[in-house]
Amino acid sequence: MRYARHAAMVLIAVAAIGVSSANASGDAANGKKWFGVFCAACHSTKAGVNMVGPSLAGVYGRKAGAAPNFNYSDALKNSGIVWNDESLEKWLANPQTDVPGNHMPFAGLPSAQKRADIIEYLKTLK
């Protein structure tokens, strides 16, 4: 009984740590900086300007694979994802695991804080 109580407390603590890192609050100014480091070589922030990757102007709230004039993978077009905090968090953590068969050659960003910052910045790209 004592072991079970201790194990339950450990599991609750581990779960709380996981939730806090997944829900890190972001900073758009830092996100702009990290976007420049990790994303800008392939993605524009100007509407209609596609590069190796699609424009990310207006990406927050948009259906995945729906930016005009970009050749998306069938996997991404058919994913049913709408870009929001949760979906962007999963995507930025590991796009290949999130949507197998997509064309994004990015292994993912291990830092939960940097992902949260980039997501906050993406929200500003109207």
Side-chain angles (χ1 to χ4, degrees):
M1 178 74 159
R2 192 166 138 195
Y3 174 77
R5 228 181 16 238
H6 178 67
M9 289 171 40
V10 169
L11 286 174
I12 290 168
V14 168
I17 291 167
V19 168
S20 68
S21 67
N23 294 325
S25 87
D27 177 276
N30 283 336
K32 183 175 184 178
K33 175 182 75 171
W34 294 125
F35 183 92
V37 172
F38 297 108
C39 313
C42 297
H43 294 280
S44 172
T45 59
K46 292 183 169 74
V49 178
N50 295 320
M51 298 168 57
V52 173
S55 167
L56 295 181
V59 70
Y60 194 88
R62 184 170 71 207
K63 184 178 184 284
N69 303 315
F70 189 80
N71 186 24
Y72 289 97
S73 66
D74 288 340
L76 195 58
K77 285 190 288 191
N78 298 323
S79 69
I81 293 171
V82 174
W83 298 121
N84 59 32
D85 286 22
E86 294 80 21
S87 59
L88 285 164
E89 163 68 26
K90 283 178 62 178
W91 176 263
L92 291 172
N94 191 330
Q96 298 309 318
T97 300
D98 189 31
V99 181
N102 77 74
H103 294 159
M104 188 161 160
F106 174 66
L109 188 58
S111 168
Q113 186 61 59
K114 289 176 183 163
R115 291 192 306 268
D117 291 347
I118 290 170
I119 292 165
E120 287 305 309
Y121 174 63
L122 292 174
K123 289 178 184 180
T124 72
L125 303 177
K126 310 269 184 217

